[in-house]
Amino acid sequence: MHPNGYAQQKTIVTISIQQDPEPVDPMIYGQMLENVNDSVIYGGVTDGNGNVLPHITRLLKELDIPVMRWPGGTVIHEYRWRDGIGPRKLRPVVPTYAWKGKENYQFGTDEFLQWCKEINTQPYINFNMANHPLYGGTLWEALDWIEYVNGNPDTTNGGRLRAAYGHKEPYKVQYWGIGNENYGPWGRHKEETAAGYGDRLAVWAGTIHSKYPELHLLGVGHTAAWDSTVLEKSGQAIDYLTQHYYVVSKLKDGQLQNPDNTLFAPAKMEAHLRLLSNLLGRYNKSKAGDPVRLCIDEWNNRHSVLENGEYKFTRQSPRRQFDVAVAAGMLNVFIRQSPVVGMANYIFPVNGHGLIRTIGTNDALKTPLFYLFKQYRQWMTGSKLEVTVKGPGITGAAAAATIDGDCKEIKTGNEQLTYIDAAAVRSSEKGIYISLVNRSWNTGREVAVTVPKGYKVTQTWEIADQNINAFNSVTDRDVLIPKIRTVNNRKGSYSTKLLPCAVMIVKLVRM
């Protein structure tokens, strides 16, 4: 290592422009709302009475969020949509079993859909498909919900009811999820087998599509074996399988422990997505119509903080520099695995791991993830390009990634994982954007990017800090903010240096 803290060996990143590059769906930059008792909706997006907070709405508009999932999540297993429509003073207040809080139904279907329109995002609504005899939803309730949301106000009962409540025009919601983690005993739901869920999904999705063929339906995915069975049972009637991935980070005294476990977690997720991509590739050859794709509709980096000798999960831990590296690594995976990955939903946009943290009722701060999502949404869209990375790294076994969710079936070994992670896209304007992530926690890395012929580097965007545990706070909100630099590089290679856990996006334009 050099005395300045940078590794001696450079990493070489090479970009190849294919003849017909595959598209990157901007829906991978989606978000999710769920009332998890951590001020995500009430005290986050809205006040405690469900009234939308204008200063939060203004910030969310900046992000140009393409899709928003709601109302859950585990809480969907007990959510009754009819309790969230009509006169607000008549709506019940009920305890939530899943998260030990309460739901007052003040931010119900109409409030959510009007808010989506205000921030210019597409809604994605999740049905209650739980199997609890009292709390579980039914297919007829799901059909009624669709009719209430999308029904003609002159010819359907649901549409007439919506109009009577002051919303005549149909909302035209296209995305509907059928179930949530039905493989597990979460909330008001008992564990199901893949065959049992697949049979039920076939009935639900088949019935819905027979009446509403224009809708996009999402079924629950999990392991490769689960997905294979669900596809066999109901694949012809769905458009997506949903997958969930949660990186797990341990913090002691504000410091990330065993950093490699966290920083290389996206690589384990990518191995699982490749496995599922191969499965879908085989299945889609025989599917009539559009292919089934993947939606990673729950993902983030969960912090467990050491308290009284025990690591405890919390949503209150601030988003730090290492979280920027992890989130960028996950987004890079979604780009590389496009178009099989056609949607993703980070949890959550406000508070609870969020991109924004509320301060009282009239103020909020931007976490570094706010800037990351905003820049990826602006620059990292278009068509994906092939990227080759050659440089020092670590084996999968040595990294020992800690990530919960669907990829636990992946076993790591001697596969080499470079410290520098990279993804690249070509925009509709023919510009090229290259995302570089330094997965080293204690070593700066020098990177040489081979610039494609006919292009030059003009700008870089970067979030970096000497301290990988740094974060924005009420008293210092600008610790982690982007630095934009103008570059005039006409050479065939562009060299740069990345601090540990730094994220940089390099902009190239035609000469």
Side-chain angles (χ1 to χ4, degrees), residues 247-251 255-266 301 322 325-326 394 398-402 419 438-443 468-469 500-501:
V247 178
V248 179
S249 296
K250 292 183 176 181
L251 286 93
Q255 306 290 309
L256 177 63
Q257 306 297 296
N258 306 313
D260 289 336
N261 300 170
T262 290
L263 295 170
F264 284 92
N301 184 18
F322 70 79
V326 172
I394 188 174
T402 50
Y419 285 113
N438 185 1
R439 299 189 282 198
S440 296
W441 62 274
N442 61 352
T443 306
I468 69 167
N469 298 290
C501 293

Side-chain angles (χ1 to χ4, degrees), residues 449 451-458 487-495 508-511:
V449 178
V451 177
K453 186 177 180 181
Y455 283 85
K456 65 177 180 179
V457 177
T458 61
V487 179
N488 186 14
N489 184 291
R490 293 176 174 269
K491 301 177 183 178
S493 178
Y494 172 71
S495 293
L508 289 70
V509 300
R510 285 187 180 275
M511 288 194 289

Side-chain angles (χ1 to χ4, degrees), residues 36-47:
V36 295
N37 203 33
D38 269 294
S39 299
V40 173
I41 296 179
Y42 304 107
V45 169
T46 77
D47 65 15

Side-chain angles (χ1 to χ4, degrees), residues 184-329:
W186 321 129
R188 297 290 193 181
H189 180 76
K190 291 184 179 180
E191 177 182 350
E192 285 184 85
T193 65
Y197 170 74
D199 285 337
R200 289 212 298 150
L201 178 61
V203 174
W204 280 53
T207 302
I208 293 170
H209 258 165
S210 68
K211 190 170 185 180
Y212 304 104
E214 75 280 5
L215 300 185
H216 300 290
L217 304 181
L218 298 91
V220 174
H222 185 35
T223 62
W226 170 283
D227 287 11
S228 180
T229 299
V230 171
L231 287 171
E232 179 185 345
K233 297 278 186 177
S234 56
Q236 294 293 332
I238 61 173
D239 302 281
Y240 295 85
L241 282 173
T242 62
Q243 306 292 149
H244 295 175
Y245 301 103
Y246 290 101
V247 178
V248 179
S249 296
K250 292 183 176 181
L251 286 93
K252 177 182 178 182
D253 300 325
Q255 306 290 309
L256 177 63
Q257 306 297 296
N258 306 313
D260 289 336
N261 300 170
T262 290
L263 295 170
F264 284 92
K268 187 171 182 179
M269 177 186 72
E270 185 162 24
H272 193 241
L273 290 176
R274 284 196 294 264
L275 176 66
L276 300 183
S277 178
N278 290 335
L279 171 65
L280 285 174
R282 295 191 296 271
Y283 175 79
N284 285 328
K285 289 180 180 178
S286 61
K287 183 178 186 289
D290 294 333
V292 177
R293 302 165 74 190
L294 298 176
C295 170
I296 292 75
D297 67 358
E298 291 188 26
W299 72 274
N300 67 24
N301 184 18
R302 287 178 165 174
H303 292 187
S304 290
V305 178
L306 187 65
E307 295 180 8
N308 302 319
E310 182 182 357
Y311 283 100
K312 296 181 180 180
F313 165 66
T314 175
R315 296 189 182 95
Q316 301 306 312
S317 180
R319 299 296 93 180
R320 302 169 184 264
Q321 179 65 47
F322 70 79
D323 289 294
V324 179
V326 172

Side-chain angles (χ1 to χ4, degrees), residues 93-219:
V93 179
V94 299
T96 55
Y97 177 81
W99 302 115
K100 312 307 178 190
K102 69 177 183 178
E103 174 59 64
N104 62 23
Y105 285 101
Q106 294 301 295
F107 189 73
T109 298
D110 290 295
E111 290 79 20
F112 168 69
L113 294 175
Q114 290 174 75
W115 173 79
C116 284
K117 185 176 181 180
E118 190 172 357
I119 68 169
N120 193 32
T121 190
Q122 289 197 60
Y124 157 22
I125 294 178
N126 220 115
F127 295 126
N128 178 349
M129 198 201 192
N131 51 20
H132 192 284
L134 296 179
Y135 295 93
T138 63
L139 174 56
W140 68 264
E141 287 177 298
L143 291 168
D144 281 356
W145 202 358
I146 297 172
E147 185 174 280
Y148 178 83
V149 168
N150 290 349
N152 186 299
D154 299 317
T155 60
T156 68
N157 291 331
R160 291 188 189 97
L161 182 61
R162 183 191 66 246
Y165 288 152
H167 311 286
K168 184 175 182 179
E169 292 303 313
Y171 291 109
K172 300 179 182 179
V173 174
Q174 295 296 300
Y175 296 93
W176 300 83
I178 306 177
N180 176 76
E181 296 183 354
N182 288 49
Y183 45 81
W186 321 129
R188 297 290 193 181
H189 180 76
K190 291 184 179 180
E191 177 182 350
E192 285 184 85
T193 65
Y197 170 74
D199 285 337
R200 289 212 298 150
L201 178 61
V203 174
W204 280 53
T207 302
I208 293 170
H209 258 165
S210 68
K211 190 170 185 180
Y212 304 104
E214 75 280 5
L215 300 185
H216 300 290
L217 304 181
L218 298 91

